Amino acid sequence: MAFEITNEMLVGSLMPVIVYWVYGGLYTILGYSCNNYRLHPKEDEDEKNFASKKTVIKGVLGQQFRQFIATNLLYMITRGNDAGASSGQSTSFFVIARQFIVAMFVFDTYQYFLHRYLHQNKFLYKHLHSKHHRLVVSYPFGAIYSHPIGGLLFDIIGGTMAIYISGMSPLTSAFFSSFCNMKSVDDHCGLMLPWNPFHIFFTNNTAYHDLHHQLYGGKYNFSQPFFSIWDKILGTYMPYSLEKREEGGFKLRPLKEFKN
């Protein structure tokens, strides 16, 4: 059977990349005028992080290129597979909704246990996952900045698994991957904007993940990107409060004693 990249496959692999930079760009612009909603002062992005923005942009573009290759390989491999992601299933609203729910649960479950293990294994944390945590003060376009192997484990394998198990077509997976990118950018944007729909529907939000990025939060709030259920079931949930800073914005404060 001949393999070829179709227009649907190109849309499926390119749309999430475009959404990532457009949505991240929107948040970057808002960051200059929404100081009253920031979790950290703007200058902390340069002063407290251990990777330059130029390095982060290069790392993210490399990760997206690898995702583009992996996504199209998945599409080509599963095109003739009756159980695969492009099996010609019905594309009714209810089918797509079911696929989204299944994919979200699979992605969340996979990411929680992988994420927690990469923090608990000191060797893997030092050599893989610590690269992402060079951004103590996260910002929108740094959402998927990571070690290449870390990116492979988290996003490429995790996303591929969620898409394949849910049975999504390339076009449906494009919307799901774009949705995941928007949620990831939102989690790392550093802004607690009012009426943010992600904050209305998900307790796992910007502040929730920002706590995990702090030096005291590395053993907590592993759940990502959608739900907080695994943290709460397995005792790794760290509740928090948001307090107004005198100079503007919010200060994140954990509500229970944390382990060193």
PDB file of all heavy atoms in Angstrom, residues 25-36:
ATOM      1  N   GLY A  25       0.944  34.270  21.131  1.00  0.00           N
ATOM      2  CA  GLY A  25       1.199  35.668  20.811  1.00  0.00           C
ATOM      3  C   GLY A  25       0.161  36.587  21.420  1.00  0.00           C
ATOM      4  O   GLY A  25       0.488  37.683  21.912  1.00  0.00           O
ATOM      5  N   LEU A  26      -1.097  36.145  21.408  1.00  0.00           N
ATOM      6  CA  LEU A  26      -2.165  36.927  22.020  1.00  0.00           C
ATOM      7  C   LEU A  26      -1.897  37.126  23.508  1.00  0.00           C
ATOM      8  O   LEU A  26      -2.013  38.249  24.032  1.00  0.00           O
ATOM      9  CB  LEU A  26      -3.503  36.223  21.806  1.00  0.00           C
ATOM     10  CG  LEU A  26      -4.716  36.835  22.515  1.00  0.00           C
ATOM     11  CD1 LEU A  26      -4.992  38.242  21.993  1.00  0.00           C
ATOM     12  CD2 LEU A  26      -5.953  35.952  22.308  1.00  0.00           C
ATOM     13  N   TYR A  27      -1.534  36.062  24.189  1.00  0.00           N
ATOM     14  CA  TYR A  27      -1.240  36.169  25.613  1.00  0.00           C
ATOM     15  C   TYR A  27       0.005  37.015  25.878  1.00  0.00           C
ATOM     16  O   TYR A  27       0.086  37.725  26.881  1.00  0.00           O
ATOM     17  CB  TYR A  27      -1.068  34.783  26.230  1.00  0.00           C
ATOM     18  CG  TYR A  27      -2.318  34.262  26.879  1.00  0.00           C
ATOM     19  CD1 TYR A  27      -2.863  33.043  26.497  1.00  0.00           C
ATOM     20  CD2 TYR A  27      -2.947  34.981  27.880  1.00  0.00           C
ATOM     21  CE1 TYR A  27      -4.011  32.558  27.096  1.00  0.00           C
ATOM     22  CE2 TYR A  27      -4.094  34.508  28.485  1.00  0.00           C
ATOM     23  CZ  TYR A  27      -4.630  33.297  28.092  1.00  0.00           C
ATOM     24  OH  TYR A  27      -5.768  32.831  28.687  1.00  0.00           O
ATOM     25  N   THR A  28       0.990  36.922  25.003  1.00  0.00           N
ATOM     26  CA  THR A  28       2.195  37.740  25.164  1.00  0.00           C
ATOM     27  C   THR A  28       1.847  39.219  25.082  1.00  0.00           C
ATOM     28  O   THR A  28       2.337  40.036  25.884  1.00  0.00           O
ATOM     29  CB  THR A  28       3.227  37.383  24.077  1.00  0.00           C
ATOM     30  OG1 THR A  28       3.582  35.998  24.203  1.00  0.00           O
ATOM     31  CG2 THR A  28       4.485  38.232  24.232  1.00  0.00           C
ATOM     32  N   ILE A  29       0.986  39.585  24.142  1.00  0.00           N
ATOM     33  CA  ILE A  29       0.551  40.979  24.012  1.00  0.00           C
ATOM     34  C   ILE A  29      -0.245  41.407  25.242  1.00  0.00           C
ATOM     35  O   ILE A  29      -0.026  42.495  25.799  1.00  0.00           O
ATOM     36  CB  ILE A  29      -0.287  41.155  22.728  1.00  0.00           C
ATOM     37  CG1 ILE A  29       0.588  40.936  21.497  1.00  0.00           C
ATOM     38  CG2 ILE A  29      -0.926  42.544  22.685  1.00  0.00           C
ATOM     39  CD1 ILE A  29      -0.187  40.863  20.190  1.00  0.00           C
ATOM     40  N   LEU A  30      -1.155  40.548  25.694  1.00  0.00           N
ATOM     41  CA  LEU A  30      -1.947  40.873  26.881  1.00  0.00           C
ATOM     42  C   LEU A  30      -1.068  41.054  28.113  1.00  0.00           C
ATOM     43  O   LEU A  30      -1.381  41.849  29.004  1.00  0.00           O
ATOM     44  CB  LEU A  30      -2.979  39.770  27.136  1.00  0.00           C
ATOM     45  CG  LEU A  30      -4.164  39.702  26.173  1.00  0.00           C
ATOM     46  CD1 LEU A  30      -5.014  38.458  26.465  1.00  0.00           C
ATOM     47  CD2 LEU A  30      -5.023  40.952  26.292  1.00  0.00           C
ATOM     48  N   GLY A  31       0.044  40.319  28.143  1.00  0.00           N
ATOM     49  CA  GLY A  31       0.931  40.386  29.304  1.00  0.00           C
ATOM     50  C   GLY A  31       1.515  41.760  29.549  1.00  0.00           C
ATOM     51  O   GLY A  31       1.888  42.099  30.687  1.00  0.00           O
ATOM     52  N   TYR A  32       1.597  42.573  28.504  1.00  0.00           N
ATOM     53  CA  TYR A  32       2.156  43.916  28.656  1.00  0.00           C
ATOM     54  C   TYR A  32       1.142  44.908  29.237  1.00  0.00           C
ATOM     55  O   TYR A  32       1.533  45.962  29.748  1.00  0.00           O
ATOM     56  CB  TYR A  32       2.652  44.437  27.302  1.00  0.00           C
ATOM     57  CG  TYR A  32       3.912  43.774  26.821  1.00  0.00           C
ATOM     58  CD1 TYR A  32       3.859  42.764  25.863  1.00  0.00           C
ATOM     59  CD2 TYR A  32       5.163  44.139  27.326  1.00  0.00           C
ATOM     60  CE1 TYR A  32       5.015  42.134  25.420  1.00  0.00           C
ATOM     61  CE2 TYR A  32       6.323  43.523  26.892  1.00  0.00           C
ATOM     62  CZ  TYR A  32       6.239  42.518  25.935  1.00  0.00           C
ATOM     63  OH  TYR A  32       7.391  41.898  25.508  1.00  0.00           O
ATOM     64  N   SER A  33      -0.135  44.593  29.145  1.00  0.00           N
ATOM     65  CA  SER A  33      -1.162  45.547  29.583  1.00  0.00           C
ATOM     66  C   SER A  33      -2.047  45.015  30.712  1.00  0.00           C
ATOM     67  O   SER A  33      -2.975  45.705  31.134  1.00  0.00           O
ATOM     68  CB  SER A  33      -2.052  45.928  28.387  1.00  0.00           C
ATOM     69  OG  SER A  33      -2.666  44.780  27.818  1.00  0.00           O
ATOM     70  N   CYS A  34      -1.762  43.808  31.189  1.00  0.00           N
ATOM     71  CA  CYS A  34      -2.611  43.197  32.228  1.00  0.00           C
ATOM     72  C   CYS A  34      -1.810  42.908  33.495  1.00  0.00           C
ATOM     73  O   CYS A  34      -1.892  41.803  34.052  1.00  0.00           O
ATOM     74  CB  CYS A  34      -3.253  41.914  31.691  1.00  0.00           C
ATOM     75  SG  CYS A  34      -4.381  42.166  30.317  1.00  0.00           S
ATOM     76  N   ASN A  35      -1.040  43.888  33.936  1.00  0.00           N
ATOM     77  CA  ASN A  35      -0.197  43.673  35.113  1.00  0.00           C
ATOM     78  C   ASN A  35      -1.004  43.330  36.363  1.00  0.00           C
ATOM     79  O   ASN A  35      -0.495  42.666  37.273  1.00  0.00           O
ATOM     80  CB  ASN A  35       0.666  44.910  35.377  1.00  0.00           C
ATOM     81  CG  ASN A  35       1.775  45.067  34.352  1.00  0.00           C
ATOM     82  OD1 ASN A  35       2.293  44.078  33.840  1.00  0.00           O
ATOM     83  ND2 ASN A  35       2.129  46.304  34.033  1.00  0.00           N
ATOM     84  N   ASN A  36      -2.250  43.770  36.431  1.00  0.00           N
ATOM     85  CA  ASN A  36      -3.068  43.497  37.605  1.00  0.00           C
ATOM     86  C   ASN A  36      -3.532  42.046  37.681  1.00  0.00           C
ATOM     87  O   ASN A  36      -4.146  41.654  38.672  1.00  0.00           O
ATOM     88  CB  ASN A  36      -4.293  44.415  37.615  1.00  0.00           C
ATOM     89  CG  ASN A  36      -3.935  45.837  37.978  1.00  0.00           C
ATOM     90  OD1 ASN A  36      -2.943  46.085  38.659  1.00  0.00           O
ATOM     91  ND2 ASN A  36      -4.737  46.793  37.508  1.00  0.00           N
TER      92      ASN A  36
END
